[in-house]
Amino acid sequence: MQPKPTILLVEDEIEPAEMLANFLEMNNYNVLVAHDGLKALDLIDQHASDIHLAVLDIMVPNVDGKEICSVIRKHPVMSEIPVIFLTAKDKEKDEIEGLELGADDYISKPASLKLVKAHIESLLRRQQPQNSKWIQHGDLFLDTSGKDLYYKEKRVELTSTEYAIVEMFFQSPKRVYSRQEILEHIGGDDRFVFDRTVDVHIKNLRLKLGEASDMIKTYRGLGYGMNREML
């Protein structure tokens, strides 16, 4: 069974937003609703790897739909998702600016629930399957296809060994790995890899992660793993 697509809906008019969200949920979608731009950015931070499409009202408080679209287009995980702009009727300027910013479609308000749903379905059908498989923990995003790690929107430069450790931790975030298990994972056939090698790699990883270094925790007497308190 295919998982339900998740829609980010940014609309400051509460009643229309609730009506549209309820209608989409009745039609087998998950919907994340934000009534202002700051809440939308918060939802993006928390659920970036889960969102399949965004519906953005241009005129929302704090951070408008155009800025949110720009954030999406620069985001390491969400840059390729379809974006629909909701625009005031006859606002051709908004429509043109939206398309120039990278929106895929626009709908003039007021619009029927069925029309919005039809636009969403059309864009999702056209959407190519994602080549990358992302894993998100906090503000860290791991691209297991491209073998890259991002902190927020910035790529973290890792060696192949550092990446192998990060991927191991990300794929089983609640597990604690002993030094020996990590050695076997990164050492392959190399018999001249020592326990202290793991400590050095972990130290270097934490330095590169900077503000996110606490995501990797030392479990005394056991080994290393993701910080389960931060998951």
Side-chain angles (χ1 to χ4, degrees):
M1 184 177 178
Q2 290 287 349
K4 295 180 181 180
T6 296
I7 309 298
L8 172 64
L9 172 60
V10 185
E11 167 63 82
D12 64 328
E13 297 182 47
I14 295 175
E15 187 174 342
E18 290 179 351
M19 287 178 61
L20 179 55
N22 290 336
F23 179 74
L24 292 174
E25 286 171 349
M26 284 171 26
N27 283 274
N28 213 34
Y29 291 94
N30 293 318
V31 184
L32 302 172
V33 182
H35 298 304
D36 67 80
L38 291 178
K39 177 61 177 178
L41 296 180
D42 186 48
L43 288 173
I44 287 170
D45 284 343
Q46 293 180 46
H47 303 283
S49 57
D50 302 319
I51 297 171
H52 297 86
L53 180 145
V55 179
L56 311 177
D57 186 358
I58 290 181
M59 301 303 294
V60 291
N62 299 320
V63 181
D64 68 23
K66 296 173 187 176
E67 293 180 72
I68 296 167
C69 182
S70 294
V71 169
I72 289 172
R73 287 294 171 249
K74 294 173 185 174
H75 199 283
V77 176
M78 297 177 63
S79 61
E80 300 297 324
I81 71 165
V83 173
I84 298 174
F85 269 140
L86 297 175
T87 67
K89 192 172 184 180
D90 299 326
K91 289 286 186 180
E92 182 180 0
K93 179 174 176 288
D94 284 341
E95 294 166 3
I96 293 171
E97 286 184 8
L99 294 173
E100 288 175 345
L101 282 168
D104 299 274
D105 199 357
Y106 62 86
I107 302 172
S108 294
K109 296 168 63 177
S112 73
L113 300 177
K114 288 184 178 180
L115 177 65
V116 177
K117 174 175 168 283
H119 280 254
I120 290 172
E121 289 175 344
S122 175
L123 285 173
L124 290 178
R125 278 197 301 269
R126 285 159 42 190
Q127 180 78 344
Q128 294 297 315
Q130 296 294 315
N131 292 325
S132 300
K133 293 184 178 179
W134 295 91
I135 306 174
Q136 176 185 1
H137 293 303
D139 290 324
L140 292 171
F141 301 88
L142 189 72
D143 174 2
T144 60
S145 177
K147 298 195 179 302
D148 285 317
L149 178 69
Y150 292 85
Y151 174 58
K152 296 183 177 177
E153 297 179 8
K154 186 177 180 182
R155 184 172 176 270
V156 182
E157 297 286 344
L158 300 179
T159 66
S160 58
T161 300
E162 290 164 355
Y163 174 83
I165 295 172
V166 169
E167 184 179 59
M168 173 192 249
F169 290 171
F170 266 59
Q171 288 181 337
S172 298
K174 295 186 177 181
R175 181 175 171 186
V176 177
Y177 290 91
S178 68
R179 286 187 176 86
Q180 185 59 38
E181 288 174 316
I182 297 172
L183 281 175
E184 291 174 1
H185 184 71
I186 65 176
D189 296 329
D190 187 353
R191 297 181 182 178
F192 302 100
V193 182
F194 303 97
D195 279 5
R196 300 304 299 174
T197 303
V198 174
D199 298 333
V200 172
H201 286 308
I202 295 293
K203 179 183 176 182
N204 290 339
L205 263 175
R206 286 176 171 149
L207 287 172
K208 292 182 178 182
L209 290 176
E211 294 177 355
S213 61
D214 288 345
M215 287 296 290
I216 295 179
K217 182 174 180 178
T218 302
Y219 292 88
R220 297 195 179 279
L222 297 173
Y224 298 102
M226 299 293 287
N227 188 339
R228 287 176 279 189
E229 295 175 4
M230 300 178 68
L231 298 177

